[in-house]
Amino acid sequence: MNPTDNRSGAMTDGERARTAGLLMAGWVALLWLLEAVDTATGHSLDTYGITARDTGDLPSVLSAPFIHFGWDHVAANTLPLLALGFLTALGGLRRFFLVCAVIIVADGLGVWLFSPADSNTAGASGLVFGLFGYLVVRGFVERRPTGIVVGLLVAAIWGGAILSGIGPSDSSVSWQGHLIGLLAGAATAFLLPKAPAGRAGVYG
């Protein structure tokens, strides 16, 4: 049998990389499109951020990660979301969407509970911090050498920015959302079952 012939139905490394790249390019493009709509409509989408402890605003837990307060805000989240999302998606799309769902819901509820009264919080940074926590921890949890190397590289590149973003040094930044997202991502790395052999992407 030809050793390059893949009859199992599993994606090759190249196919996983293309799929992950297209997914994250589309995700980020959606964020920029939504910001364009927000700008064109006088920032009408800003109301879909999370208002702390407003029970009627709980659905915004799901919308807030896709809404940003201006072009600088979405630009700041674009590169880390692209990179960290891409690395996470290499582990499989089902796992990627599960990781993102857990982080978004846990982070959103935490922001809703612990943010200052009457605050409005939105942006993908909570998800970014969560994906960082997931990637740094996951390789060690699964004891996969490639995953450990990926986690160490992620920590080396973004660790300083992450640490500076989890303290209450800037009242205009939701450090609560950053910290809760980071903890949610790390916890998700422990809670998810180990990826099956041959389907672990960068963790294999």
Side-chain angles (χ1 to χ4, degrees), residues 18-179:
R18 284 192 295 273
T19 301
L22 288 172
L23 170 64
M24 294 316 302
W27 191 309
V28 167
L30 174 62
L31 301 186
W32 284 84
L33 175 61
L34 288 172
E35 184 54 36
V37 172
D38 187 44
T39 301
T41 58
H43 302 288
S44 63
L45 298 185
D46 290 354
T47 59
Y48 292 95
I50 300 170
T51 303
R53 292 173 294 285
D54 180 350
T55 54
D57 210 42
L58 277 172
S60 294
V61 164
L62 302 179
S63 61
F66 299 92
I67 306 302
H68 290 79
F69 300 135
W71 297 109
D72 288 345
H73 190 195
V74 69
N77 285 326
T78 291
L79 180 58
L81 181 61
L82 269 174
L84 300 178
F86 173 79
L87 290 172
T88 305
L90 286 177
L93 295 188
R94 178 182 295 181
R95 178 175 291 264
F96 169 80
F97 285 117
L98 182 57
V99 169
C100 289
V102 171
I103 293 170
I104 286 172
V105 172
D107 184 54
L109 291 175
V111 166
W112 185 85
L113 281 170
F114 299 114
S115 290
D118 300 321
S119 61
N120 183 20
T121 303
S125 57
L127 177 59
V128 167
F129 276 66
L131 293 176
F132 172 90
Y134 175 82
L135 288 168
V136 169
V137 172
R138 189 64 181 178
F140 293 95
V141 171
E142 295 198 339
R143 299 181 181 179
R144 298 182 186 271
T146 306
I148 291 172
V149 171
V150 169
L152 291 174
L153 287 174
V154 166
I157 294 171
W158 280 285
I162 293 296
L163 288 175
S164 67
I166 59 175
S169 58
D170 187 345
S171 60
S172 67
V173 174
S174 176
W175 65 269
Q176 298 94 338
H178 293 173
L179 177 59

